[in-house]
Amino acid sequence: MTIAVTTPAGRVGSRVVRLLIQAGVRPRVLVRDPARLDAGTREHADVRQGDLTDATYVRKAVAGARTVFWVDPTPHVADDPIETSARTAAALADAARAGDVARIVFLSSVGAEKRHGVGHIDGLARIEELFDGTGADVLHLRCAYFFTNLLFELDGLARGVLATAFRPDAPMPWVDPRDIGDVAAARLLNEDWRGRTVQAVHGPEDLTFRQVAGILTGALGRPVRLETVDDAAVRQGLLAAGLPPAAVEGMVGMTAGSRDLVPEQPRDLVTTTPTPLAAWAYAHLRPALDAHRAT
């Protein structure tokens, strides 16, 4: 069994690699900078150094791998993130179409099922369509809103404020990326699924941003007040920070396009993962905030 993993130093990819190694698999890892991997991982993995935006590298690196775990490497600040996402994934799609890869597990997102109108998530929808057309067995993991997005809010949280452009009382699924890694690794190791499959990863419960502020108040040991902002304010702030207009619209569009979203897959035993936000915030967000406040 040969399993190739992209972004092996990322929040999800690193967990996938660790679990594959512990399961007795020597994963093939595609990484730009091997120094980002710890020594133990480098020892137990087949490291293929290169750039995922280089189609020639991707074709060579995945050739002969039965299964590939693909995480879109496109940064949100790219000039044209949606087009870049599709262009980067095209190399893997070509490899699958040629028979060099038999199975793909893709880290997608809740909202990709809309196909259009969800900002950067539209890029993931384009990738889903590319992979669906290859003839390979494909699994799309439609993941919820990452807990780790809160790490981008340290400035506000240091002032006791959680700002959002989402509706404050609209529940939505939240998930720990570590749990996504657990689901992805289990699916990569399971040889029985065939065809096109979609599996949501919804986290332990749906939460409103107002509930999140309350949870953070307890986990951080200090009051957190929710502050709502509109899309225009978010757009203005991102442009002022120097982000390209296409990147800004992609980020604003993710929120705007998700406000009334009902995930395609229901919450059930298969889609629900265990880690609660309070535990994650106490273990990860609280130390990060303390370090941020100390600088």
Side-chain angles (χ1 to χ4, degrees):
M1 176 191 299
T2 302
I3 300 175
V5 179
T6 63
T7 67
R11 299 187 190 282
V12 178
S14 60
R15 178 65 173 167
V16 169
V17 169
R18 176 63 60 89
L19 291 173
L20 292 179
I21 291 172
Q22 291 176 335
V25 173
R26 184 176 179 87
R28 183 185 301 178
V29 298
L30 282 59
V31 62
R32 182 195 296 268
D33 180 8
R36 295 190 62 200
L37 304 173
D38 62 74
T41 298
R42 292 196 299 272
E43 179 184 353
H44 290 90
D46 175 10
V47 179
R48 306 288 180 95
Q49 183 176 6
D51 186 343
L52 289 177
T53 64
D54 180 345
T56 300
Y57 158 73
V58 172
R59 286 296 302 269
K60 290 180 179 179
V62 301
R66 171 164 169 71
T67 306
V68 175
F69 178 55
W70 183 261
V71 181
D72 179 24
T74 305
H76 287 334
V77 296
D79 287 336
D80 190 346
I82 295 173
E83 183 59 34
T84 301
S85 293
R87 185 173 65 253
T88 303
L92 177 56
D94 289 344
R97 196 174 294 110
D100 293 334
V101 170
R103 305 193 314 160
I104 300 171
V105 175
F106 172 48
L107 186 70
S108 189
S109 172
V110 168
E113 61 266 37
K114 292 184 70 172
R115 295 306 192 218
H116 301 287
V118 201
H120 285 321
I121 296 174
D122 290 356
L124 303 182
R126 291 271 299 278
I127 295 173
E128 286 194 12
E129 292 172 329
L130 274 174
F131 291 166
D132 288 347
T134 63
D137 297 324
V138 178
L139 169 65
H140 303 303
L141 294 177
R142 298 254 181 88
C143 301
Y145 195 78
F146 282 21
F147 291 172
T148 48
N149 288 334
L150 293 169
L151 294 170
F152 296 107
E153 306 298 327
L154 295 179
D155 284 340
L157 291 172
R159 296 182 283 106
V161 174
L162 174 62
T164 184
F166 283 97
R167 294 192 177 96
D169 296 306
M172 55 189 277
W174 289 66
V175 68
D176 184 348
R178 178 186 173 97
D179 289 347
I180 298 172
D182 291 353
V183 173
R187 282 296 200 161
L188 289 164
L189 290 166
N190 179 359
E191 290 281 324
D192 292 337
W193 56 270
R194 295 288 186 273
R196 178 188 185 273
T197 305
V198 176
Q199 178 172 337
V201 190
H202 285 324
E205 61 181 332
D206 292 357
L207 296 168
T208 69
F209 263 87
R210 198 176 305 282
Q211 289 173 316
V212 168
I215 291 169
L216 297 186
T217 293
L220 301 179
R222 54 177 66 94
V224 175
R225 173 177 58 85
L226 187 65
E227 180 180 285
T228 58
V229 295
D230 60 19
D231 292 340
V234 174
R235 182 179 290 108
Q236 181 179 3
L238 293 173
L239 289 171
L243 271 67
V248 170
E249 293 309 313
M251 297 175 76
V252 172
M254 281 195 294
T255 303
S258 300
R259 288 196 183 103
D260 298 315
L261 178 67
V262 176
E264 186 176 65
Q265 292 78 35
R267 176 176 292 284
D268 58 18
L269 179 65
V270 174
T271 63
T272 298
T273 51
T275 305
L277 176 60
W280 176 88
Y282 189 85
H284 300 283
L285 186 59
R286 183 168 180 157
L289 183 58
D290 289 343
H292 180 78
R293 290 165 63 91
T295 59

